[in-house]
């Protein structure tokens, strides 16, 4: 098993947080989706949640692709959070709160536009949060939640 790497973005269970969390910033490069998948897989393995690794990595791939395609941000932050035993939340933060996610209406011949439809089908719940004060958000997090069995 590979341990996630990075500076303050180590996997941790911090008493101040009261839950387990992982986060890492990485630039938009061709390997961004691969890096995101590897980090999510590593974190879930450390939490012994391998059973949700496939859907979680697929979701992260789609969220990274959407952020890359629909924003002009040079980097994103991957966040994996386990606040309760039976739920994991994966998210991608970007600095373009004006571009909000919406389910696509892709036609049969369209080569794109199905990413959030896929996320919607796989995740137990998904959405987005604007980050920052009231009417002046500075970023957004697009997230998806997956439920696990309590005994995992």
């Amino acid at each position: 098993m590979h341990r996630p790497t990075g500076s303050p973005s180590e996997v941790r269970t911090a008493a101040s947080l009261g839950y387990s969390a992982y986060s890492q910033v990485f630039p938009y490069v061709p390997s961004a989706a691969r890096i995101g998948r590897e980090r999510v897989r590593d974190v879930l393995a450390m939490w012994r949640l391998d059973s949700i690794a496939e859907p979680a990595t697929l979701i992260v791939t789609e969220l990274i692709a959407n952020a890359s395609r629909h924003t002009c941000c040079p980097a994103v932050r991957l966040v994996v959070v386990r606040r309760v035993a039976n739920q994991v939340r994966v998210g991608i933060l970007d600095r373009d709160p004006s571009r909000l996610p919406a389910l696509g209406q892709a036609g049969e011949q369209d080569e794109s536009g199905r990413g959030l439809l896929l996320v919607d089908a796989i995740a137990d719940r998904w959405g987005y949060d604007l980050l920052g004060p009231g009417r002046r958000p500075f970023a957004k997090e697009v997230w998806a939640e997956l439920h696990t069995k309590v005994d995992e």
Side-chain angles (χ1 to χ4, degrees):
M1 172 177 74
H2 300 300
R3 291 197 147 256
T5 58
S7 50
S9 54
E10 300 273 331
V11 173
R12 59 196 163 109
T13 302
S16 63
L17 293 176
Y19 55 85
S20 299
Y22 170 82
S23 131
Q24 179 178 354
V25 174
F26 48 88
Y28 285 136
V29 292
S31 61
R34 179 186 53 79
I35 293 167
R37 285 191 301 271
E38 289 173 358
R39 297 303 177 263
V40 167
R41 213 175 271 121
D42 289 346
V43 169
L44 294 176
M46 289 165 81
W47 293 340
R48 295 185 176 98
L49 295 174
D50 299 286
S51 65
I52 62 168
E54 285 305 312
T57 57
L58 183 55
I59 288 168
V60 164
T61 299
E62 292 302 328
L63 296 182
I64 290 171
N66 279 356
S68 173
R69 193 173 294 123
H70 300 293
T71 72
C72 58
C73 303
V76 293
R77 176 178 293 276
L78 167 67
V79 179
V80 186
V81 178
R82 187 178 187 192
R83 289 189 176 97
V84 293
N86 68 339
Q87 179 183 293
V88 171
R89 184 177 191 167
V90 294
I92 297 295
L93 280 82
D94 67 57
R95 293 278 198 169
D96 191 352
S98 66
R99 300 293 310 258
L100 300 179
L103 289 174
Q105 297 297 323
E108 278 186 37
Q109 301 300 318
D110 292 340
E111 293 183 16
S112 64
R114 292 178 184 83
L116 287 177
L117 292 170
L118 187 60
V119 170
D120 187 58
I122 294 170
D124 292 302
R125 193 169 83 113
W126 75 274
Y128 67 89
D129 295 322
L130 295 177
L131 307 173
R135 297 177 187 224
R136 302 195 75 130
F138 58 83
K140 72 175 175 293
E141 177 185 5
V142 182
W143 51 264
E145 294 174 347
L146 294 168
H147 292 112
T148 66
K149 293 180 182 161
V150 177
D151 59 343
E152 288 185 278

